Amino acid sequence: PKPSGRQVLPEKLPRIEVEVLPPEVKARGTDAFERIGEDVTETLERRSASLVVVRTIKGKYIEKREGLPQQTKVLQAEPPELPIERGLAGPGMLADTITRRWDDHAPLHRLERIYGREGMPLARSTICGWHMELARLCKPLLAAMWADAMLAVYLCIDATGVLVQDLEKCRNAHFFVVAAPERHVLFGYAPKHNKAAVDQLLDGYKGYLVTDAHAVYDHLYADGQIVEVGCWAHARRYVFRSLSTDPPRARHALKLINQLFVHERAFASLSPEHRKQERHRLSVPILDEYEAWCDAQIDQVVDESPIAKAVRYSCNHRSALRRFLDDGRLPIHNNWSERELRREAVGRSNWLFVGSDEGGEVNATFVSLLASARLHKLDPLAYLRDLLCLLPNWPACDVLQLAPVNWAATSQRPEVRRLLESNIYRNASLGLLPEKSPYGTK
């Protein structure tokens, strides 16, 4: 067919074929005409989202014994397992509420309206109760992901504030994000942004820590077990803020810093060892020039001016900003954790506050799973649905295999495929079960 310039619609979407007849053909019938060709147009339409009720019928049986008294032992199948014991919702429905709430950032009052339009009024207290139960179910998995993250060569960490509902006035708390390179994106909730919160998050960690030079992390470097890595994106941001008040100095500093980033993009495909060599060959001269320039400007800039803050930041954190030269695996910026932290920032603008400290921990649990699923290019809804099918009976000693980092391999194991494909509720959510009315097949 002749190209139309329209987007090709995905083959996986269901199709409804409708043939449109000319009025003359419709009046006289197709037998009176010869079909000589056709034009096909595909139009994207939307049907109402579909909730489905799975009626689980457990028949009761006794053995027939001819000539003998009937066996009185009653046989009945065990009910299919649910993520929440005796719960109202199956794994697909529960995964949908989690994804909408923390991946699509829909607050609970919007979820009430959404499910009401789909034919099932759900109180926000019901949805909230589901999520608290599921957070307890997922707790061993998150603990295993945190323990695995503590083995990483380096971690990126950042934090953002959040309001917590209280009796008279909302109080302040914080979400932390800890990103382990290419493995996990983990969120933690803390009522206070202090040393105790950081110690709890990074308990047992030894390695490099990429941060924004906030004072709350300073105590971690005292014994040398954790080594600070500075963020050149923060250094550049300070300089950029001075562009309107001191253009000549700001442009010169930005030119040097940007050369570092240009080199890093060129080094991206290199091995860590080769990257380290190239950094020493090309980046060290730029660092030397930039530091010499900062030393020359420190006594010339006006105190508390934007350019003075930029120069002082670079001078005060000189060692940390050079740390990326020590190991080719280290990044020169903390943008990864900042980018992931936007999840909470975008969500915060929708749901405004968390209801309690426990609600903050539930939030951090599911945002960790969603962010890690996105990191490994998994469909969050499908991942959570299958996770909730497997998690209740999964061996605790092997729970890390259910983390997003291992999911591609785990989901292909024959025994896992059998468990998933035999799950009644999963099959119902995928439309693989025949529909039946209460009185028989439709």
Side-chain angles (χ1 to χ4, degrees):
K2 184 170 63 176
S4 64
R6 296 180 63 178
Q7 180 178 348
V8 178
L9 299 180
E11 289 294 330
K12 64 181 180 181
L13 295 179
R15 255 70 173 176
I16 299 174
E17 291 192 359
V18 179
E19 185 166 1
V20 182
L21 298 177
E24 297 86 351
V25 177
K26 188 184 297 185
R28 296 175 56 190
T30 56
D31 292 340
F33 298 87
E34 179 183 353
R35 188 185 182 103
I36 62 171
E38 64 181 19
D39 288 326
V40 178
T41 302
E42 292 194 332
T43 304
L44 190 64
E45 191 49 274
R46 177 168 176 80
R47 294 189 290 207
S48 296
S50 175
L51 297 173
V52 62
V53 178
V54 181
R55 299 182 75 242
T56 306
I57 302 170
K58 300 176 293 176
K60 297 180 179 181
Y61 299 89
I62 59 173
E63 185 181 359
K64 292 181 180 178
R65 305 179 69 188
E66 294 183 5
L68 295 173
Q70 279 194 329
Q71 184 94 345
T72 57
K73 182 180 180 181
V74 178
L75 304 175
Q76 188 178 32
E78 292 293 326
E81 190 174 47
L82 286 165
I84 300 175
E85 189 175 0
R86 296 188 297 276
L88 179 68
M93 178 64 185
L94 294 170
D96 187 71
T97 64
I98 294 169
T99 306
R100 291 191 192 216
R101 187 177 180 187
W102 285 298
D103 202 47
D104 300 333
H105 311 295
L108 289 169
H109 70 275
R110 291 186 202 162
L111 291 182
E112 281 185 324
R113 293 203 304 265
I114 290 169
Y115 291 120
R117 287 198 303 268
E118 295 177 8
M120 181 60 194
L122 283 174
R124 66 190 75 177
S125 59
T126 299
I127 301 173
C128 193
W130 289 349
H131 294 166
M132 288 189 174
E133 288 290 331
L134 293 174
R136 284 190 279 273
L137 176 66
C138 294
K139 189 174 181 179
L141 173 58
L142 267 295
M145 292 170 65
W146 275 101
D148 186 65
M150 294 301 107
L151 303 176
V153 174
Y154 72 89
L155 297 174
C156 300
I157 190 170
D158 207 348
T160 188
V162 64
L163 293 176
V164 185
Q165 194 175 29
D166 216 333
L167 290 176
E168 296 183 0
K169 180 182 178 182
C170 284
R171 52 190 170 85
N172 292 315
H174 278 77
F175 284 117
F176 286 85
V177 61
V178 176
E182 300 178 4
R183 293 194 65 79
H184 311 288
V185 180
L186 299 168
F187 286 78
Y189 169 83
K192 295 186 180 298
H193 187 246
N194 56 15
K195 296 178 180 179
V198 174
D199 290 340
Q200 184 176 358
L201 284 175
L202 300 177
D203 183 30
Y205 178 65
K206 298 178 182 179
Y208 294 99
L209 191 66
V210 186
T211 73
D212 57 3
H214 197 288
V216 76
Y217 307 113
D218 287 349
H219 70 287
L220 297 174
Y221 316 129
D223 60 2
Q225 299 291 326
I226 296 178
V227 181
E228 181 185 14
V229 180
C231 174
W232 276 100
H234 275 81
R236 181 172 60 181
R237 200 170 300 149
Y238 275 102
V239 176
F240 186 82
R241 290 170 186 160
S242 68
L243 196 56
S244 60
T245 56
D246 198 336
R249 288 191 176 96
R251 289 197 186 100
H252 181 74
L254 286 174
K255 179 182 177 182
L256 294 174
I257 296 173
N258 286 341
Q259 286 178 12
L260 294 175
F261 282 86
V262 169
H263 288 324
E264 286 302 309
R265 286 191 289 271
F267 302 158
S269 60
L270 302 180
S271 66
E273 188 57 38
H274 193 189
R275 187 180 301 117
K276 179 180 178 179
Q277 294 172 4
E278 290 300 294
R279 283 173 172 175
H280 279 269
R281 185 174 70 89
L282 296 175
S283 298
V284 167
I286 299 171
L287 289 170
D288 292 341
E289 182 179 353
Y290 179 74
E291 290 171 359
W293 178 83
C294 287
D295 291 337
Q297 301 301 318
I298 192 70
D299 293 326
Q300 299 182 23
V301 293
V302 178
D303 287 346
E304 300 306 315
S305 65
I307 191 63
K309 294 178 181 179
V311 171
R312 193 175 301 115
Y313 180 92
S314 295
C315 289
N316 291 344
H317 305 288
R318 181 174 304 186
S319 297
L321 289 171
R322 273 186 172 259
R323 196 83 63 199
F324 74 98
L325 299 172
D326 294 353
D327 192 317
R329 293 169 292 184
L330 299 177
I332 71 166
H333 56 70
N334 195 27
N335 286 347
W336 189 11
S337 63
E338 287 195 1
R339 185 168 56 247
E340 294 296 341
L341 200 59
R342 289 177 188 170
R343 286 180 165 273
E344 295 292 9
V346 173
R348 185 178 56 203
S349 66
N350 286 270
W351 34 257
L352 303 180
F353 54 81
V354 295
S356 63
D357 289 334
E358 186 179 6
E361 292 170 0
V362 172
N363 178 308
T365 295
F366 291 115
V367 176
S368 296
L369 291 174
L370 290 165
S372 296
R374 291 286 187 190
L375 172 65
H376 295 285
K377 297 180 172 53
L378 302 177
D379 176 356
L381 177 60
Y383 167 71
L384 285 175
R385 179 198 63 219
D386 290 354
L387 173 68
L388 295 178
C389 290
L390 298 172
L391 195 53
N393 280 326
W394 195 265
C397 61
D398 199 33
V399 72
L400 186 61
Q401 296 306 309
L402 295 180
V405 65
N406 296 320
W407 183 251
T410 300
S411 61
Q412 296 305 312
R413 286 159 50 179
E415 65 275 19
V416 172
R417 295 308 311 165
R418 283 194 296 270
L419 287 171
L420 292 175
E421 290 169 4
S422 64
N423 188 288
I424 291 173
Y425 303 112
R426 180 180 185 271
N427 289 337
S429 71
L430 292 172
L432 300 179
L433 291 183
E435 291 186 15
K436 291 186 178 181
S437 71
Y439 308 104
T441 305
K442 288 184 178 179

